[in-house]
Amino acid sequence: MDDENWMRIALTEARRALDEGEMPVGCVIVRDGTQIASGHNLRERTNDPTAHAEIVAIRRAAEALGSWRLAGCAMYVTLEPCPMCAGAISQARLERLVYGAADERYGCAGSVYRIPEDPAFNHFCKSDGGVLADECAALLNEFFSKRR
């Protein structure tokens, strides 16, 4: 499958988050063309400030693979990762990050900063943004319009 197909699976996770009253961010982790794990935001349900879609998916992928090193894996996420998630992506040794909508305020994979690609850290993770960005942003807009 290509980037758009994997992002559509991440969008399905984001819709689950929206249905649960969570900020609609979804994520899928892939290795060798096979889905390893997925997740969506669970902060509200779990009262866990670290339960972002990326962290949830990283934890599930590490469990599925029996290793915290997610070498050879790609992450697809509907919103550009925040500093915490971008750091976790680097720590997990992901090979590639693909995100949908940019986050001009907190995004740390291209908008505000580029943590996964910073040469100061010992692991480089290629980051690509803008895949199905309009669809990803539309879910976020739907969520915030209901909250206002």
Side-chain angles (χ1 to χ4, degrees):
M1 288 203 299
D2 64 10
D3 290 349
E4 287 189 6
N5 287 323
W6 290 117
M7 189 61 72
R8 289 188 199 294
I9 293 170
L11 277 162
T12 298
E13 283 290 331
R15 284 186 196 92
R16 287 186 183 124
L18 182 65
D19 291 345
E20 295 172 13
E22 299 276 355
M23 186 169 156
V25 179
C27 182
V28 63
I29 296 178
V30 176
R31 183 196 233 170
D32 298 327
T34 301
Q35 180 175 328
I36 303 300
S38 63
H40 57 271
N41 275 9
L42 296 172
R43 268 191 332 185
E44 300 302 323
R45 184 169 73 182
T46 62
N47 290 314
D48 179 353
T50 69
H52 290 197
E54 300 95 325
I55 303 295
V56 170
I58 286 171
R59 288 176 178 154
R60 290 175 178 169
E63 183 176 341
L65 295 174
S67 176
W68 63 267
R69 290 179 181 91
L70 303 182
C73 292
M75 173 184 282
Y76 294 84
V77 62
T78 57
L79 179 64
E80 180 181 357
C82 71
M84 174 184 69
C85 293
I89 289 163
S90 181
Q91 290 294 315
R93 309 296 195 262
L94 284 155
E95 183 175 311
R96 184 166 180 241
L97 165 66
V98 180
Y99 63 88
D103 185 344
E104 300 297 326
R105 290 183 64 199
Y106 300 107
C108 281
S111 293
V112 176
Y113 194 67
R114 288 184 96 72
I115 290 173
E117 294 183 352
D118 190 322
F121 302 117
N122 68 339
H123 180 74
F124 178 89
C125 177
K126 179 163 176 34
S127 301
D128 297 302
V131 175
L132 300 180
D134 292 341
E135 291 178 47
C136 295
L139 270 182
L140 292 162
N141 290 335
E142 180 181 342
F143 173 77
F144 286 114
S145 69
K146 289 178 180 177
R147 300 192 56 96
R148 292 183 186 127

